[in-house]
Amino acid sequence: MLGVSALALAVVGALPAAAQQGGNQAQDNGPDEIIVTGVRESLRSAQALKRNADQIVDSVQAQDIGKLPDANTTEALQRITGVQIQRRYGEGATDFDHRTQPAITVRGLTQVQNFLDGRAVYSASGGRAFDLEGVPPELLSGIDVYKNAPANIIEGGVGGAVNLRTRKPFDSAGQVISATVRGNYYDRVDKPGYAVSGLYSNRFQAGEGEIGVLINAVYSKSQYRQDGLLIGPFDTVAPGSIAGAPANAQIPYGPEIYDDSGDRKRLGVAGAIQWKPSDALLITAQGQMTKYWFNRTGAYYYDYSNRSNVRNAAGVVTSYGTAPAPGATFTFNKEGYATSGTLAPIAFETGRYDQQLWSASKNFTLNAAWKPTDRLKANFDAQYLHSYYNADRNGHVLSLYSESGQTSLTTPHPLSVDFDLRGKYPRWDVKQQGVLNNPANYTTPYVADSLQRNDADTFALASDIEYDVEGGFLKKLRAGVRYADNSIDLRGTWHSVCVTSLGADPNCGAPSGTPLVPLTKNPQLAMPGPSKNWFDGNTVKGGLLYPAFPGGDGVWAQTKALYALLGATTQDSFKPGDLNRQTEKTYTGWAIADYGFDVGGVSFDGGIGVRVVKTKTTSVGTQFNNDGTSAPISVGKEYTKALPSFNLRAKLTDTFQMRFAYSKGLARPNFDQLSTNLTLNNPNQINPVTGHPSAGSGNPRLNPIRSDNFDVTAEWYFAPSGSLTGGLFYKKVNGFLAGGIVTGVFNGVTYDISTQVNSGNGTVKGAEIGYNQFFDFLPGPLSGLGLQANYTYVDSSVSNPFAVAGTNTPQQLPLEKLSKHSYNLVGLYEKGPVTARVAWSWRSSYLDQTQGSGANGIPQYAKPYASLDASISVNLTKQIAVSADVVNLNNRLNMIYIGTPAAPLRYELNDRRFGLSLRATY
């Protein structure tokens, strides 16, 4: 089986230059090329890249065409030390409702710059990250993670930078044709998926020169189901209300169901043309297009009465809302939290929120690499990136209330709940089994709709030169310039309607007691639930009802049909308050002096440089006055930052080296945080503390987040695919964003404006260690065994923006989504026609949200998480291979808790994914 991910050693050493301005530094590899044909060679090329780079970098290489070691681009990144990922909807992904938050962190920070073939890219979601989960992994030859970027790397990440590498025709010696067909099965949703990919690459003589062409395409569809059971938050019960209860007894407010399912589709096309008219000139044109479709049905069944306790300013409970059923038997854990029992009657609602996302990115580049002399190189690069991000969403609620304005005390359908958290899986049920699945008990009180249509464009020009200096301390001079013009249009609505017997009320202002519309009037607006074998069939065994939508082609058509049936109208266009346009121009110059010298038989080399970048932004929106008038507003900001860097490497032996690196970094706020739509409230309603009326807005005056980054590494390369590496790192970060108040004068009045501010500072420090080896010294078939292992320790401390003096809220917290400990353990086997891999990925508990779900300011955490994946591939011939794999083999139950693991909030189960593929390469 012949692969084509070629990597010349000369290119490996110069690879970071591809990210300095987006230039394509590839040259004809000739006899020095390394052909990646399996796990062993992919490890060797990744190790060579790390060893020879002029900075700290880790990589994942494709084992063959269309074969990154994981089935998802985000999931492949978790194998790199210092990288942690989020899992949502059955795979490595970010939450749909938080699309501007990346699914990955590098050393605990989400502010990570994204590159595609060395050029800066971002999606149109409103964040700064590229939509990694929307990139088909079959398009990639590898992924690089830069952890302490020198001056030649495009700024934008205080955590680091991630570079996605696609293939080019000059990567291989001649013609390559490859095709892969893959089938998947997802056990919880009980549905299949598939992927089809193909690549053609060839090189042709063109007179004195050579031309290469490549086209790579992939289309895939996957399914998922995510079962979520909520049991918390917990709260204190009235003393004496439970016989034999501990003094600090706490019971949950009430249970909920999250029944989530959907599908994803990915389309990716990458093409490249390379022309080498002479040894001195290489011209490369590339284009990549990715499209991503995500369809989600989120059905929920939840406690509507929300009977939480009432506390005074000192946090003392003055009224108990959370109540046990009279005389019920409870069990408690050692910390006083109930593990089973019966709750007093609860009122329920059920909601459904469908979401349909479709997004795309098109990236076109032209690069000329010129070498006029043996000592001088020049690079010229142009890039145009266009992306869009569209989403249709809706909401539909069924309620066990019969009249608006009722409370849990007057509802006609109060239900006692039994719960038990002590078994393999948690479970709950109602004592009145026939209530939840009877349409006669429900009304249709509320519907909602939402549109999002974002567009973003980038045009960038860059050039750099490199001059080799003969002899002496100074070895090389490098410098470059870059200009980038970014623009983004954010367009989003949220519109809701209350449904009563008086008609649809968009203001939800029907008088208390107004009858709601019964479900029996439109029985087709309900469907049975929960899903088949939901949480293994031990919860709500009598069934329940979820909202349903009328038929239609897509979410928006179904939403309009629902509204028409209930006498309401969707919001089909954007109002001024739904719109924001931003432009951002950057002007950059950088320079690096590379040096080298010997002391006492030890060779030292490195570089010292600086990157100076000027940023000019404009945010255009609307000011809404209290008297109903409005006016357009435009806010500009301009700043210049100098980002120095220093790298030093000591080659202590032929196989052992150490590095020290320092750099300053910056990360600009997300575009949605820089939006400016200002709402001025009543100027006569004064805050008695500040003496000002209130207002609300985004904040286009935000400063970038800044960091000082320090790294020390030790690297032992004892074999071509064997190494033991370790490192220590420290980051000091300033300017984290949080909610706050700023003042502004409008119409002659000073307002307190609720917005985002640069208020948080923090530190991140830790250690990394990685080990790779194939045990070639073992006898016979055992010589095919290999091992990959890495461990990361990260300790962070940042100020809590929600801390309140004199309460139980902590003043300092770790970064959200950051585990202090994480490791990967991958067993490998490659011998003859057989390649196998078993990968165990583990991360310790982490802060999920600083402000927990209704938990009186107590942070919300995730328990430790582990995933077991496995794969095996057999080469039937030199050209044909068959592979099988499974993801989430251990069928892990995930848990979120509040404050302590003894107080669970949410349990979650996802699909196991089984795959079978056939690949042909010629």
Side-chain angles (χ1 to χ4, degrees), residues 168 191 194 382 388 404 445 455 585 591 653 661 670 747 884 917:
K168 296 179 287 293
K191 290 181 179 180
Y194 61 90
Y388 65 76
S404 63
D455 291 282
K585 296 182 179 181
T653 71
N670 287 342
N747 304 323
S917 64

Side-chain angles (χ1 to χ4, degrees), residues 11-21 25 46-59 107 113 115 118 144-155 157 159-163 478 590 592 594-595 605-608 611 645-651 657-663 709 711-715 717 725 731 768:
V11 175
V12 167
L15 193 77
Q20 57 186 266
Q21 310 297 346
Q25 298 295 311
Q47 179 172 302
L49 192 156
K50 179 180 179 68
R51 181 179 186 176
N52 297 320
D54 59 5
Q55 61 175 300
I56 297 171
V57 60
D58 288 289
S59 298
R107 294 173 170 177
Q113 175 67 292
F115 300 132
D144 309 315
V145 176
Y146 307 122
K147 297 178 177 178
N148 195 320
N152 59 326
I153 297 293
I154 300 171
E155 76 289 340
V162 172
N163 181 40
R478 293 180 283 159
W590 64 271
I592 294 178
D594 294 325
Y595 60 86
D605 62 13
I608 183 169
R611 186 177 189 89
S645 65
F646 175 76
N647 281 272
L648 172 68
R649 175 173 59 175
K651 298 180 180 179
Q657 63 186 30
M658 296 187 69
R659 298 178 189 263
F660 170 78
Y662 165 76
S663 67
N709 315 301
D711 274 83
V712 177
T713 71
E715 305 164 14
Y717 301 101
T725 62
K731 291 178 180 287
E768 301 172 346

Side-chain angles (χ1 to χ4, degrees), residues 363-418:
N363 190 50
F364 302 100
T365 62
L366 181 63
N367 178 268
W370 182 39
K371 189 176 181 180
T373 72
D374 290 341
R375 296 167 60 183
L376 180 64
K377 298 177 184 178
N379 190 71
F380 307 93
D381 196 83
Q383 175 194 14
Y384 173 69
L385 169 69
H386 173 73
S387 60
Y388 65 76
Y389 181 93
N390 298 337
D392 294 343
R393 291 180 285 175
N394 59 29
H396 182 197
V397 170
L398 302 180
S399 178
L400 288 174
Y401 290 74
S402 62
E403 294 182 62
S404 63
Q406 283 186 322
T407 71
S408 60
L409 301 178
T410 62
T411 177
H413 305 295
L415 303 170
S416 296
V417 172
D418 295 321

Side-chain angles (χ1 to χ4, degrees), residues 255 301-304 346-350 399-400 415 417 428 430 436:
Y301 214 92
Y302 50 91
D303 166 23
Y304 183 72
I346 290 173
F348 283 97
E349 273 191 348
T350 173
S399 178
L400 288 174
L415 303 170
V417 172
W428 67 271
V430 295
L436 298 186

Side-chain angles (χ1 to χ4, degrees), residues 57-397:
V57 60
D58 288 289
S59 298
V60 174
Q61 301 288 90
Q63 300 168 22
D64 209 315
I65 297 172
K67 192 168 173 57
L68 273 177
D70 292 271
N72 171 291
T73 299
T74 301
E75 290 173 1
L77 280 160
Q78 73 179 318
R79 311 300 174 192
I80 293 179
T81 55
V83 178
Q84 297 176 4
I85 71 169
Q86 301 301 307
R87 292 180 179 271
R88 293 292 289 167
Y89 318 121
E91 64 179 54
T94 190
D95 193 311
F96 183 96
D97 296 318
H98 301 89
R99 298 291 291 181
T100 59
Q101 298 179 6
I104 70 163
T105 65
V106 177
R107 294 173 170 177
L109 294 164
T110 59
Q111 296 81 15
V112 177
Q113 175 67 292
N114 293 158
F115 300 132
L116 182 60
D117 287 323
R119 302 169 179 91
V121 288
Y122 65 95
S123 303
S125 65
R128 291 284 179 174
F130 200 52
D131 198 356
L132 296 179
E133 67 194 75
V135 179
E138 293 87 348
L139 286 186
L140 304 180
S141 64
I143 308 173
D144 309 315
V145 176
Y146 307 122
K147 297 178 177 178
N148 195 320
N152 59 326
I153 297 293
I154 300 171
E155 76 289 340
V158 295
V162 172
N163 181 40
L164 309 180
R165 285 185 278 112
T166 62
R167 302 177 187 274
K168 296 179 287 293
F170 283 5
D171 288 346
S172 55
Q175 176 175 281
V176 178
I177 302 174
S178 179
T180 301
V181 178
R182 175 185 176 88
N184 294 311
Y185 172 72
Y186 308 85
D187 68 338
R188 190 158 294 276
V189 72
D190 192 22
K191 290 181 179 180
Y194 61 90
V196 180
S197 62
L199 177 143
Y200 172 79
S201 177
N202 209 346
R203 300 167 70 151
F204 308 93
Q205 291 299 315
E208 295 294 325
E210 188 177 15
I211 291 178
V213 295
L214 179 145
I215 184 72
N216 190 10
V218 58
Y219 179 78
S220 66
K221 182 175 181 178
S222 62
Q223 309 280 347
Y224 82 90
R225 197 180 96 194
Q226 181 174 278
D227 297 354
L229 187 155
L230 274 81
I231 201 65
F234 286 71
D235 215 336
T236 308
V237 295
S241 60
I242 301 176
N248 62 334
Q250 299 198 45
I251 64 174
Y253 292 168
E256 300 180 15
I257 283 176
Y258 282 8
D259 200 341
D260 229 314
S261 61
D263 65 79
R264 297 176 172 92
K265 292 184 289 185
R266 297 178 173 95
L267 171 65
V269 179
I273 298 175
Q274 291 185 287
W275 178 38
K276 190 175 184 181
S278 70
D279 291 340
L281 181 63
L282 174 64
I283 297 175
T284 302
Q286 289 178 272
Q288 301 97 1
M289 184 273 289
T290 61
K291 285 191 174 183
Y292 181 52
W293 296 265
F294 178 57
N295 298 300
R296 176 191 178 203
T297 296
Y300 310 95
Y301 214 92
Y302 50 91
D303 166 23
Y304 183 72
S305 48
N306 193 25
R307 297 161 297 108
S308 58
N309 294 340
V310 176
R311 287 173 165 77
N312 61 22
V316 177
V317 178
T318 59
S319 175
Y320 294 92
T322 303
T329 300
F330 280 76
T331 60
F332 295 88
N333 58 33
K334 293 180 180 180
E335 296 185 39
Y337 294 90
T339 56
S340 68
T342 302
L343 302 177
I346 290 173
F348 283 97
E349 273 191 348
T350 173
R352 179 172 157 188
Y353 296 87
D354 289 1
Q355 298 163 332
Q356 186 173 27
L357 161 71
W358 63 106
S359 62
S361 293
K362 298 177 182 178
N363 190 50
F364 302 100
T365 62
L366 181 63
N367 178 268
W370 182 39
K371 189 176 181 180
T373 72
D374 290 341
R375 296 167 60 183
L376 180 64
K377 298 177 184 178
N379 190 71
F380 307 93
D381 196 83
Q383 175 194 14
Y384 173 69
L385 169 69
H386 173 73
S387 60
Y388 65 76
Y389 181 93
N390 298 337
D392 294 343
R393 291 180 285 175
N394 59 29
H396 182 197
V397 170

